[in-house]
Amino acid sequence: MRRGFLTAMLVACLSGPVLAQAPGSAPTPPPTLSRQERNFIAEALADGMAEQALGKLAQDRAETEPVRRFARRMADDHGLKTDRLAGMALRHGIPIPRELGLSARAHMSSLRDTPEEAFDRRYMAAEEETHARAIKLYEAQAERGGETGDFARDALPMLHSHFEEARGIMAELARGPAPPQTQAPPGASGSSQ
């Protein structure tokens, strides 16, 4: 009986390093990602960071409540998505950008310089276009397997929802009053009396 106990203890001690890592040892590296998967994470991470920043800008600049609400949702939803992507990036040794990319910074600057009366329409048009592009990127990734494919499949319903909401808000803005334009002087109407 004592010999069986000692054998069991010996097996447990010898198999311990195989089953669990000792404290202070290096963690088992995650499965290697393809270049395409690494590029997807980097691009999706940069896009998510840009969406957060644009959402915060639009919350401050938007004139209508639906646009402010949408912008708040973009900052929140893309913040959660970006956090998950950052976790993947860290696990796989993919650099996390510390600032927005060149095109995102240019877009932010352009929106900051947009006159108040045109901001909502311009922001929403950009959001509709951005989400259409993101849906294509994520659909292509969702067809692949692995961690990035799973992530893309999980994120697609949110992206589709954002796209449809952006289209709806754009339609509302188009039905609303047009931004102020220079008016013709009184009496300069096209009809003659």
Side-chain angles (χ1 to χ4, degrees):
M1 175 112 155
R2 184 174 166 101
R3 184 175 176 165
F5 176 75
L6 289 175
T7 303
M9 289 300 290
L10 183 60
V11 168
C13 288
L14 291 176
S15 64
V18 173
L19 300 175
Q21 296 186 348
S25 66
T28 304
T32 305
L33 295 178
S34 69
R35 176 176 287 170
Q36 190 279 329
E37 290 171 306
R38 295 174 73 78
N39 289 343
F40 169 78
I41 291 172
E43 185 175 350
L45 187 56
D47 289 350
M49 291 172 66
E51 281 295 324
Q52 283 181 276
L54 291 167
K56 290 175 183 173
L57 173 67
Q59 286 177 63
D60 293 336
R61 295 271 333 264
E63 288 193 326
T64 62
E65 186 54 34
V67 175
R68 277 192 295 276
R69 225 179 7 256
F70 180 84
R72 194 169 23 257
R73 183 174 176 207
M74 293 307 96
D76 294 345
D77 288 358
H78 286 278
L80 294 172
K81 185 172 71 73
T82 300
D83 289 347
R84 281 186 62 197
L85 283 163
M88 275 193 276
L90 286 172
R91 280 194 309 280
H92 296 286
I94 299 167
I96 297 174
R98 296 189 186 277
E99 60 184 34
L100 295 179
L102 185 59
S103 67
R105 286 194 314 261
H107 186 61
M108 285 281 289
S109 178
S110 173
L111 277 174
R112 269 192 211 105
D113 294 340
T114 299
E116 285 182 24
E117 63 276 2
F119 181 86
D120 288 12
R121 289 175 192 220
R122 189 151 182 223
Y123 170 70
M124 292 311 302
E127 284 300 301
E128 190 175 351
E129 179 183 321
T130 300
H131 281 86
R133 193 173 57 250
I135 288 169
K136 288 179 185 176
L137 173 70
Y138 277 70
E139 283 176 342
Q141 192 61 39
E143 292 176 5
R144 296 166 176 26
E147 184 180 14
T148 57
D150 293 342
F151 174 80
R153 281 187 293 281
D154 289 347
L156 272 167
M158 176 191 74
L159 294 172
H160 280 287
S161 173
H162 291 174
F163 177 73
E164 291 303 323
E165 187 176 354
R167 288 179 84 183
I169 293 171
M170 275 300 293
E172 283 179 38
L173 292 172
R175 284 191 298 272
Q181 296 183 8
T182 312
Q183 294 183 345
S189 66
S191 61
S192 58
Q193 295 190 5

